[in-house]
């Protein structure tokens, strides 16, 4: 019996009715996590978690997993970096406190790309995170372990973070639901910052309903995070799920233009996507194509690279090996810092810091950093206008199935395919964005993504929930 074949509401009902206990759920979760970890490497820390009292809160007594870049007092939190390999925080992230208060049971910390700076699941200091559908393939990242933990049903939900697509792309590659809420809906207090203007805490689940349940529990304004949304505290996202009146969608014509691609898998994914659109139209959806200047679309990746590298270089300047972390050898503070960073950062991290430092140099800021922010504003203005006309943007989540590990590189600038990079639009505008499984290709999952206007999380979830039900009616996903 897999307890997590059921959704969170059903699991809670079964706990209330005594069909099984929280202890049984936790033991099952830990046992299965240890099994899958041998092959997939989803977790870097498993805890001897204790059962909690079952209350009216849906999450009470239910195990979950936490990405290893969210602060948990007294529990090792390393962001999968050698610079933090023994770090134990002295305070709790707001999201962890909320889950604790709800009675949810954290059973472990999940592996990720080092310091959340990567999209492969290959760069963390604990090794490669492998795709459970094919161990020779990647999961994407950086929330790699969280996606695998849910995809293998070792937990019913896992917390992740998303700066460019780090929840939604792994969800697409592993056949689960990945939800990035509106920027500020969930407090980032206690998150190890990557790019603060883009970072969002979200959730990975096996269905849309569970995603709404979890975010309802962890969302809310927070005095410790000035960017949190103040006017959505009383909004209950699950109330939107039964609604079925948000049916005006668009897709970007230039991104799914088949003439731009020659890969058979990409062409098949686009064909399947068009078939899905036709099914949705039969169900009453109004779906139109919209044209976006290709110069703007081709700028998405460079904009993201410039802003994220600059912000993370500033945010991680405290990783010196002096204030905290293990010391490196050196005759003075400069040598200690240089040796600490040289010895402990992976090649990807070093490259991003070099790029970020270059961009932030006084003589370069206007040309690169400020212009990247101006370009981001241009993108956001375009999509803000589109979201006044439509309830959401619907697109394939990726151009292909999960790549083979042997064919994957951590070199930046190697993949400028807009079909693989459009998810950053959600981060640029702070928009709610969700990936749901749609189909399989060569026995590997493929997903679709839905993005809506800022603070339109409920409307987006209602669309995703309805489309999820249509997909399940028509397939074995």
């Amino acid at each position: 019996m897999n307890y997590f074949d059921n959704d969170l509401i059903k699991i809670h009902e079964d706990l209330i009715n005594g069909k099984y206990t929280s202890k049984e759920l936790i033991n099952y979760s830990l046992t299965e996590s240890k099994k899958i970890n041998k092959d997939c490497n989803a977790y870097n820390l498993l805890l001897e978690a204790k059962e909690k009292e079952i209350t009216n809160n849906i999450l009470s007594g239910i195990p979950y997993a936490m990405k290893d870049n969210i602060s948990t007092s007294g529990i090792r939190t390393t962001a999968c970096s050698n610079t933090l390999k023994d770090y134990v925080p002295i305070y709790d992230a707001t999201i962890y406190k909320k889950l604790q208060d709800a009675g949810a049971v954290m059973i472990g910390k999940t592996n990720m790309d080092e310091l959340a700076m990567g999209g492969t699941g290959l760069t963390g200091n604990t090794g490669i995170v492998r795709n459970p559908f094919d161990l020779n393939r990647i999961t994407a990242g950086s929330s790699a372990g969280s996606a695998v933990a849910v995809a293998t049903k070792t937990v019913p939900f896992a917390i992740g973070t998303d700066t460019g697509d780090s929840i939604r792309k792994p969800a697409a590659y592993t056949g689960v639901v990945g939800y990035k809420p509106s920027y500020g809906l969930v407090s980032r207090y206690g998150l190890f910052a990557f790019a603060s203007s883009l970072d969002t805490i979200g959730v990975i689940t096996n269905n849309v309903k569970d995603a709404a349940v979890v975010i309802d529990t962890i969302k809310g304004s927070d005095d410790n995070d000035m960017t949190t949304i103040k006017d959505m505290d009383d909004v209950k996202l699950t109330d939107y799920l039964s609604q079925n009146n948000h049916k005006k969608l668009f897709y970007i014509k230039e991104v799914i233009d088949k003439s731009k691609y020659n890969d058979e898998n990409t062409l098949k994914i686009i064909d399947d996507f068009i078939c899905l659109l036709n099914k949705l139209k039969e169900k009453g959806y109004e779906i139109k194509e919209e044209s976006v200047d290709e110069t703007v679309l081709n700028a998405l990746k460079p904009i993201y690279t410039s802003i994220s590298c600059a912000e993370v270089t500033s945010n991680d300047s405290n990783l010196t090996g002096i204030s905290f972390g293990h010391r490196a050898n050196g005759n003075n503070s400069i040598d200690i810092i240089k040796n600490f960073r040289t010895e402990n950062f992976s090649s990807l991290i070093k490259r991003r810091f070099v790029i970020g430092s270059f961009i932030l140099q006084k003589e370069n800021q206007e040309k690169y950093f400020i212009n990247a922010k101006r370009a981001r504003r241009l993108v956001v203005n375009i999509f803000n206008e589109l979201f006044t006309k439509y309830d959401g943007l619907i697109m394939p989540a990726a151009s292909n199935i999960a790549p083979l590990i042997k064919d994957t590189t951590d070199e930046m600038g190697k993949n400028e395919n807009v079909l693989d990079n459009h998810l950053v639009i959600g981060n640029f505008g702070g928009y709610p964005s969700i990936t749901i499984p749609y189909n399989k290709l060569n026995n590997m999952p493929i997903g679709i993504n839905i993005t809506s206007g800022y603070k339109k999380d409920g409307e987006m979830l209602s669309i995703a929930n309805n489309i999820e039900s249509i997909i399940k009616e028509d397939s074995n996903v």
Side-chain angles (χ1 to χ4, degrees), residues 184-442:
L185 189 62
V186 177
S187 171
R188 291 179 294 116
Y189 179 73
L191 168 66
F192 296 178
F194 173 7
S196 300
S197 70
L198 305 171
D199 291 343
T200 311
I201 294 176
V203 68
I204 297 172
T205 62
N206 272 302
N207 58 74
V208 174
K209 184 194 297 184
D210 284 356
V213 167
V214 175
I215 298 300
D216 267 340
T217 302
I218 64 175
K219 73 178 179 65
S221 56
D222 180 10
D223 290 340
N224 291 317
D225 180 358
M226 66 180 183
T227 64
T228 48
I229 296 170
K230 306 296 183 185
D231 58 353
M232 289 184 68
D233 288 355
D234 296 327
V235 173
K236 191 173 181 183
L237 298 175
T238 49
D239 287 347
Y240 286 81
L241 297 180
S242 59
Q243 296 182 12
N244 197 18
N245 55 347
H246 306 290
K247 289 190 168 184
K248 193 171 183 181
L249 306 177
F250 73 99
Y251 62 90
I252 303 170
K253 174 184 176 182
E254 289 78 8
V255 181
I256 65 163
D257 180 353
K258 291 175 64 176
S259 68
K260 293 182 170 65
Y261 309 100
N262 54 26
D263 184 271
E264 289 184 8
N265 285 351
T266 303
L267 296 173
K268 180 67 165 60
I269 285 171
I270 293 174
D271 284 340
D272 286 349
F273 174 70
I274 293 169
C275 286
L276 174 63
L277 298 186
N278 290 332
K279 290 172 191 173
L280 295 179
K281 289 175 183 177
E282 292 172 4
K283 297 290 184 178
Y285 280 83
E286 181 182 347
I287 302 174
K288 295 185 178 180
E289 67 177 24
E290 286 284 351
S291 185
V292 176
D293 189 329
E294 291 197 67
T295 303
V296 172
L297 295 173
N298 290 330
L300 294 176
K301 184 69 177 293
I303 293 168
Y304 171 78
T305 298
S306 299
I307 293 173
S308 64
C309 286
E311 291 187 3
V312 77
T313 300
S314 175
N315 283 330
D316 283 354
S317 61
N318 63 344
L319 297 179
T320 62
I322 294 177
S323 302
F324 53 87
H326 55 282
R327 287 273 179 111
N329 294 322
N331 295 323
N332 52 57
S333 60
I334 299 299
D335 286 345
I336 290 172
I337 294 170
K338 181 175 70 173
N339 292 337
F340 174 77
R341 292 175 172 175
T342 300
E343 293 166 7
N344 292 295
F345 287 138
S346 68
S347 59
L348 173 67
I349 301 301
K350 291 173 185 175
R351 287 197 297 275
R352 293 207 180 200
F353 285 156
V354 168
I355 293 170
S357 297
F358 177 79
I359 289 170
L360 289 177
Q361 286 179 350
K362 184 177 180 180
E363 61 269 29
N364 295 331
Q365 282 192 27
E366 177 73 22
K367 183 177 180 181
Y368 296 110
F369 187 52
I370 304 302
N371 272 339
K373 291 196 292 183
R374 290 181 181 124
R376 174 174 62 180
R377 171 46 56 190
L378 176 63
V379 173
V380 172
N381 287 346
I382 290 169
F383 283 90
N384 281 348
E385 176 64 25
L386 287 167
F387 287 134
T388 65
K389 300 190 291 182
Y390 297 97
D391 297 314
L393 163 68
I394 184 168
M395 294 285 289
S399 72
N400 215 317
I401 60 175
L404 291 166
I405 293 169
K406 68 180 181 64
D407 295 335
T408 302
T409 175
D410 66 2
E411 292 183 38
M412 299 173 66
K414 287 293 184 181
N415 184 3
E416 303 301 336
N417 181 347
V418 179
L419 190 48
D420 281 318
N421 294 315
H422 69 85
L423 295 182
V424 300
I425 293 167
N427 302 85
F428 288 174
Y431 306 130
S433 185
I434 190 167
T435 292
I436 60 177
Y438 166 48
N439 208 339
K440 285 184 179 176
L441 179 59
N442 300 333

Side-chain angles (χ1 to χ4, degrees), residues 463-475:
I463 296 167
N465 189 55
N466 183 248
I467 292 177
E468 180 184 63
S469 66
I470 292 170
I471 291 170
K472 287 181 177 179
E473 286 173 7
D474 196 61
S475 70

Side-chain angles (χ1 to χ4, degrees), residues 103-120:
V105 181
M106 187 177 76
I107 61 104
K109 287 293 187 78
T110 58
N111 281 321
M112 54 184 281
D113 283 297
E114 183 179 4
L115 298 172
M117 279 187 273
T120 61

